[in-house]
Amino acid sequence: HESGYVVVSNAPVPLQSIKSNKKIFFAAILILGTMIGYVAVLASELMDTTIKSGAELQAKFSRPVVGVIPDIKDSSELWPSGADFPLIEMFRMIALNVRRETAKKPLVIMVTSAERWEGKTFVTVNLGACLGRQDERVLLMDAEIRSPQSEIDLRHIISEKDKPLAGLGEWLSFEALTPEEIIWPTELPGVECIPRVEAAVTPDLLGSSRMKELVEALSGQFSYILIDAPTVSSFVDAELLAQWCDAVIFVVRSRMCPSSTLKKSIERMKNTGTPIAGFILNKVDQLYLKLS
């Protein structure tokens, strides 16, 4: 042929029109991408060693979970006041479980956590508010004498904010000579407070005879003393305080604290000889609430 092309055979005309396979191609990519995403999420969950549910927490550490708190985006808005207590029903259940695990009264309970930002101050205030409404005389004590002051601490609930405050640091440094000088009324019925005003004392004083003297004096005045203690993993402070307490409650934030860190903190507290009354699991995702 002059053009240089040779026709071997004529291609048959298809009976039906042939459609583009682009849609099938993109659908296959979408399905494959979705499957990869699910596998990645599953692998991430399996590799995540943090505590997620109450059932997991109790199974791993063989201690009761006395409360489970769902993930609340802005927990600062859920601090109780004299007129408003958004989480009262939840903390009624927690208070009932705490009473079951700790029958003794008067009772000194240390509330702590393995790491910071797990919600122990939030739990301490709400639990104290609930016990105060149940005809108990409750004292809340801020014992984080070395930590930087938070935006919201126990001073937030003191009703006499216009007066110069004295707190635990002043007692330990002998600037305050009587417990009455550092105890302040709060907005919560039945609840009084020892705040942390200054951190100008050494943490070793938490294990001193001066601290023991304070706890013994207050035990005769209050049915419950809740101590908002320093975290365990970074400092020895909680172990020093434990010798003056009757029980320890660990606050654990879901999907935050690795199990290995929590385990080490629990072992350190066990060595003090003070019993661990249980756990309160905080900020639990809706997905894991049913497993708690």
Side-chain angles (χ1 to χ4, degrees):
H1 195 276
E2 294 180 359
S3 63
Y5 295 98
V6 177
V7 177
V8 177
S9 64
N10 293 321
V13 178
L15 299 177
Q16 296 180 347
S17 61
I18 300 176
K19 296 181 179 180
S20 171
N21 60 359
K22 289 184 179 179
K23 291 183 179 180
I24 298 176
F25 177 73
F26 284 120
I29 291 178
L30 180 62
I31 293 172
L32 181 61
T34 302
M35 292 177 62
I36 292 174
Y38 279 126
V39 171
V41 170
L42 180 60
S44 175
E45 288 294 310
L46 292 175
M47 295 174 64
D48 186 0
T49 63
T50 60
I51 300 296
K52 304 175 189 65
S53 69
E56 179 186 10
L57 183 58
Q58 185 161 342
K60 283 188 174 182
F61 298 101
S62 302
R63 283 179 175 80
V65 177
V66 297
V68 175
I69 303 171
D71 186 12
I72 301 165
K73 297 306 177 187
D74 188 0
S75 58
S76 64
E77 296 181 357
L78 295 175
W79 277 46
S81 65
D84 190 24
F85 194 164
L87 298 180
I88 187 169
E89 287 303 326
M90 182 177 300
F91 276 90
R92 278 174 176 157
M93 292 185 286
I94 293 174
L96 179 62
N97 290 332
V98 169
R99 288 176 185 272
R100 287 172 178 166
E101 296 298 327
T102 54
K104 175 188 172 183
K105 278 200 311 184
L107 188 66
V108 183
I109 301 177
M110 183 171 71
V111 183
T112 188
S113 58
E115 297 183 330
R116 294 196 71 197
W117 314 118
E118 298 201 57
K120 60 184 180 59
T121 303
F122 166 75
V123 167
T124 301
V125 172
N126 274 277
L127 179 57
C130 186
L131 292 170
R133 287 172 178 249
Q134 296 176 357
D135 204 24
E136 303 286 1
R137 191 178 180 200
V138 180
L139 177 72
L140 307 182
M141 182 189 301
D142 189 341
E144 290 200 69
I145 60 174
R146 82 158 96 199
S147 299
Q149 292 182 344
S150 306
E151 292 183 4
I152 299 182
D153 55 30
L154 296 189
R155 293 172 301 167
H156 182 72
I157 60 173
I158 292 176
S159 56
E160 299 179 351
K161 295 183 173 64
D162 55 330
K163 295 184 178 180
L165 297 178
L168 183 59
E170 285 71 21
W171 169 266
L172 293 175
S173 60
F174 290 90
E175 293 179 34
L177 300 180
T178 64
E180 288 71 26
E181 295 177 58
I182 62 172
I183 298 174
W184 298 90
T186 74
E187 300 171 349
L188 310 176
V191 179
E192 294 173 70
C193 171
I194 294 179
R196 169 175 50 93
V197 181
E198 298 294 342
V201 295
T202 62
D204 304 271
L205 292 175
L206 293 173
S208 67
S209 58
R210 182 70 171 168
M211 187 70 197
K212 178 183 180 182
E213 178 187 345
L214 177 63
V215 173
E216 289 179 346
L218 297 176
S219 295
Q221 302 178 39
F222 296 90
S223 50
Y224 283 93
I225 299 174
L226 304 182
I227 300 179
D228 183 11
T231 57
V232 180
S233 62
S234 302
F235 309 118
V236 73
D237 304 16
E239 293 161 87
L240 295 174
L241 280 168
Q243 60 188 311
W244 318 128
C245 301
D246 301 305
V248 177
I249 291 178
F250 262 94
V251 178
V252 180
R253 180 169 174 173
S254 177
R255 302 182 70 93
M256 178 177 175
C257 180
S259 297
S260 57
T261 302
L262 181 56
K263 181 179 179 181
K264 291 176 183 177
S265 298
I266 291 172
E267 289 298 322
R268 286 173 57 181
M269 293 310 302
K270 282 174 60 179
N271 291 336
T272 67
T274 303
I276 298 174
F279 300 104
I280 294 178
L281 188 61
N282 189 29
K283 286 189 142 333
V284 181
D285 293 343
Q286 291 293 327
L287 177 64
Y288 295 102
L289 278 177
K290 295 180 180 179
L291 302 176
S292 298

